């Protein structure tokens, strides 16, 4: 499988991304989680069963993308969504299904709210649609060991990166380079994102998914120690097609 690597200048900085099947239809854009990178989707990118155009991105402040030029603007769910929609405009991607893990899923929800015609569907995992307040955060997430890493403003040491990768369920030997990408992540991308997520100033993700008609599906981990799956299943979605429980 031939993987094509690209870098696209955006107002937030250079965005690094890769694709397979560039002439395929029905694009699917995969968005990684906090302090990770597009490397976590290596299995999807190397799966010969996909005929669709598959795109993986490194969010601003992550992987091979630049740190945000204006972190106050970019390092929030809405800010990441705006950067990704600008990417779609710049690269003439009219619409796509968005597959988001954790932070990537939250950015995807805001993409569907900001430009619903660009988002053909949402496929989310590790993404409780919360009210963006401290109470909302407590409702959607369980207390878990290492939660303080999620908002750490300084760069991870190698030891911290090993703990973080293990905590979020990534097998580092399956994704070469993921530890280096964890250590590379801009600390502000964590601290400012979490501060914005509980500030009460951003649009509620619960309200978005209870309103918009974008087709939606969730993957829930039955043994997930950090995500409240019962909360995710309890909401009154406008167009949720399925919960996949694994």
């Amino acid at each position: 499988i031939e993987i094509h690597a690209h870098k696209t200048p955006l107002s937030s900085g250079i965005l690094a991304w890769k694709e397979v099947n560039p002439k395929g239809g029905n694009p699917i854009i995969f968005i990684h989680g906090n302090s990770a990178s597009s490397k976590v989707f290596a299995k999807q990118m190397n799966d010969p069963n996909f005929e669709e155009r598959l795109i993986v991105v490194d969010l601003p402040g992550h992987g091979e993308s630049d740190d945000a030029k204006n972190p106050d603007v970019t390092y929030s769910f809405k800010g990441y969504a705006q950067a990704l929609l600008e990417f779609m405009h710049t690269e003439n991607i009219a619409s796509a299904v968005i597959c988001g893990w954790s932070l990537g899923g939250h950015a995807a929800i805001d993409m569907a709210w900001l430009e619903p015609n660009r988002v053909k569907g949402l496929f989310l995992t590790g993404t409780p649609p919360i009210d963006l307040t401290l109470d909302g955060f407590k409702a959607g997430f369980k207390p878990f060991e290492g939660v303080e890493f999620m908002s750490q403003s300084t760069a991870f040491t190698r030891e911290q990166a090993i703990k973080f990768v293990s905590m979020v369920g990534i097998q580092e030997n399956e994704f070469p380079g993921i530890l280096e990408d964890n250590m590379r992540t801009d600390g502000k991308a964590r601290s400012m994102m979490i501060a914005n997520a509980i500030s009460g100033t951003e649009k509620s993700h619960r309200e978005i998914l209870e309103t918009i008609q974008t087709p939606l599906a969730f993957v829930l981990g039955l043994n997930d120690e950090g995500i409240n799956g019962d909360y995710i299943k309890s909401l009154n979605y406008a167009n949720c097609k399925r919960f996949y429980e694994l």
Side-chain angles (χ1 to χ4, degrees):
I1 293 176
E2 186 175 1
I3 298 177
H4 306 265
H6 310 279
K7 292 192 173 182
T8 298
L10 302 177
S11 58
S12 59
I14 300 293
L15 188 89
W17 59 288
K18 297 180 176 70
E19 64 178 333
V20 297
N21 305 327
K23 297 187 183 301
N26 302 314
I28 304 172
I29 299 176
F30 295 86
I31 314 173
H32 62 80
N34 181 359
S35 302
S37 73
S38 59
K39 290 184 176 69
V40 298
F41 298 114
K43 291 181 180 180
Q44 287 78 13
M45 295 292 279
N46 287 283
D47 187 337
N49 294 308
F50 279 106
E51 297 180 355
E52 296 85 356
R53 181 185 184 190
L54 304 186
I55 296 170
V56 295
V57 301
D58 287 338
L59 289 171
H62 295 74
E64 296 180 21
S65 290
D66 286 352
D67 291 350
K69 290 181 180 178
N70 297 298
D72 290 341
V73 173
T74 302
Y75 290 155
S76 67
F77 298 155
K78 182 179 178 182
Y80 284 127
Q82 290 170 325
L84 292 167
L85 289 167
E86 182 185 348
F87 160 71
M88 292 181 70
H89 281 276
T90 302
E91 294 296 334
N92 297 312
I93 302 168
S95 62
V97 171
I98 310 298
C99 178
W101 166 47
S102 192
L103 167 59
H106 290 290
I109 293 171
D110 272 350
M111 290 173 73
W113 169 54
L114 292 168
E115 293 195 38
N117 292 335
R118 292 259 169 196
V119 179
K120 295 174 69 174
L122 291 169
F123 193 75
L124 307 178
T125 187
T127 308
I130 60 173
D131 296 325
L132 299 185
T133 64
L134 184 56
D135 286 343
F137 197 92
K138 290 178 178 178
F141 293 89
K142 303 174 185 176
F144 57 93
E145 184 179 357
V147 67
E148 66 277 4
F149 287 142
M150 304 300 289
S151 60
Q152 181 170 311
S153 61
T154 55
F156 285 165
T157 64
R158 188 170 187 84
E159 181 180 359
Q160 289 172 332
I162 291 170
K163 289 181 180 179
F164 184 87
V165 164
S166 173
M167 181 183 78
V168 298
I170 297 172
Q171 302 296 321
E172 60 178 283
N173 60 320
E174 292 187 77
F175 305 103
I178 196 65
L179 285 182
E180 288 73 19
D181 284 352
N182 268 250
M183 291 186 287
R184 167 269 173 274
T185 302
D186 185 359
K188 290 180 181 178
R190 286 186 289 268
S191 61
M192 299 180 79
M193 178 270 293
I194 292 293
N196 280 309
I198 61 175
S199 67
T201 61
E202 302 287 336
K203 178 72 172 178
S204 164
H205 283 186
R206 174 186 59 79
E207 292 180 2
I208 290 173
L209 293 187
E210 288 181 342
T211 303
I212 63 172
Q213 293 298 317
T214 306
L216 168 69
F218 285 95
V219 175
L220 305 177
L222 293 174
N223 298 316
D224 196 317
E225 297 180 358
I227 305 298
N228 185 341
D230 290 337
Y231 169 84
I232 293 176
K233 291 188 290 183
S234 74
L235 301 185
N236 184 29
Y237 301 103
N239 195 16
C240 186
K241 300 297 187 182
R242 189 165 178 180
F243 298 101
Y244 297 88
E245 297 186 272
L246 306 175

